[in-house]
């Protein structure tokens, strides 16, 4: 019988993870089924344990449950501990292993698909929520020399940076980014980890950021360029990307943890990009 996996969240109907994992399974010959699981807010542990009792082997965890998943895990990877959040659970008897594949997903998409090595680069991370938290240590491990975190709520960015206790990481408010630029030089990679998405106001950061960067990367993905991508292009950034590749790479990393096989992501990226475009054209 096929091994069961699912993505759990609230809301969850929009999730593309089942389509991604079905493609990975077909390409690697792994016998799995991968579903969507809607859990009520406040009901994460019950839903996750019920899925395990019904034979589930693992879960991907999305908003708003990454901290609940962290708490439910009986063992955690070093990268999950560093992130303080879990987006993958693997069930093995009574053991519940928690991991975080978001950072590995970002690093792989930037380095492999986009061809931008992170060694020696300086990074500006916009946002200090769960997604930002998950990528800082992997960026440093990939060789980034500096990671500045700028957030609407400056105190949150400062707390996150201080908590890491690493001289390469600093936190500030959006209004202090100009001083960071003046003090430490330009940033090579700009990563939008805020949930600003497709519309709304441009982020209140200095325009000079964009022309000096190599790449502006938005964790949000869509058929059309996101608000941040448009802002970066208008500011003269030579390359922009949305977060579809990160989504696929974090899924591939999850598949590797669960199944011991790393699927090829390039064809899945091409298929999903085409699907997004076709949906938008309808
Ligand atoms: P979160 O924990 O809710 O954090 C949201 C962040 O956005 C906070 O830093 C918040 O700042 C900031 N923010 C919200 N509205 C803002 C606004 N109007 N202006 C400026 N900043 C604003 O969310 P998350 O889990 O970190 O997720 C962030 C985004 O990343 C989401 O869109 C998510 O879908 C995406 N994501 C993508 C992937 C992928 O694989 N591609 C993986 C993970 C997450 P304050 O602290 O001031 O509230």
């Amino acid at each position: 019988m096929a091994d069961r996996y699912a993505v759990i969240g609230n809301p969850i109907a929009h999730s593309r993870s089942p389509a991604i994992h079905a493609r990975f399974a077909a390409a690697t010959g792994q016998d799995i089924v991968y579903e969507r699981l809607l859990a009520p807010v406040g009901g994460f542990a019950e839903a996750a344990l019920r899925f395990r009792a019904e034979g589930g082997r693992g879960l991907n965890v999305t908003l708003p449950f990454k901290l609940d998943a962290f708490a439910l895990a009986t063992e955690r990877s070093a990268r999950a501990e560093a992130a303080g959040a879990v987006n993958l659970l693997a069930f093995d008897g009574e053991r519940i292993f928690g991991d975080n594949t978001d950072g590995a997903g970002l690093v792989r998409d930037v380095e492999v698909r986009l061809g931008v090595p992170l060694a020696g680069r300086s990074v500006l991370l916009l946002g200090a929520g769960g997604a930002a938290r998950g990528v800082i240590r992997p960026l440093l491990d990939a060789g980034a020399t500096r990671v500045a975190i700028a957030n609407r709520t400056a105190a949150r960015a400062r707390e996150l940076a201080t908590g890491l206790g690493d001289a390469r990481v600093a936190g500030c408010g959006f209004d202090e980014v100009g001083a960071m630029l003046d003090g430490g030089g330009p940033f090579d990679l700009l990563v939008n980890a805020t949930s600003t998405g497709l519309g709304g106001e441009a982020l209140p950061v200095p325009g000079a950021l964009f022309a000096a960067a190599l790449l502006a990367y938005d964790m949000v993905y869509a058929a059309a360029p996101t608000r941040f991508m448009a802002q970066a292009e208008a500011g003269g950034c030579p390359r922009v990307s949305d977060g579809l590749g990160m989504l696929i790479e974090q899924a591939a990393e999850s598949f590797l943890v669960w199944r011991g096989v790393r699927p090829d992501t390039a064809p899945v990226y091409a298929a999903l990009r085409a699907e997004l475009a076709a949906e938008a054209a309808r």
Side-chain angles (χ1 to χ4, degrees), residues 14 62-63 66 87 101-102 105-106 126-133 135 150-154 156-157 174 192-197 200-204 217-221 242-251:
H14 64 287
T62 186
L63 281 173
K66 291 185 185 181
N87 79 334
T101 62
D102 281 339
L106 173 67
L126 299 158
R133 184 176 284 276
V135 302
N151 194 42
R152 178 176 64 179
T153 311
R156 229 177 146 195
F174 289 143
N192 181 28
T194 72
S195 44
T196 45
E201 297 289 308
L203 289 176
Y217 191 101
D218 197 340
M219 288 193 188
V220 175
Y221 67 86
D242 74 0
L244 181 65
M246 174 178 171
L247 176 77
I248 293 168
E249 293 296 346
Q250 67 75 28

Side-chain angles (χ1 to χ4, degrees), residues 48-49 51-52 56-59 72 89-93 95-97:
L49 294 175
F51 182 71
R52 179 180 72 167
R57 297 287 305 273
L59 288 168
L72 188 68
L89 292 171
F91 303 124
D92 179 16
R95 179 174 170 254
I96 303 177
F97 173 69

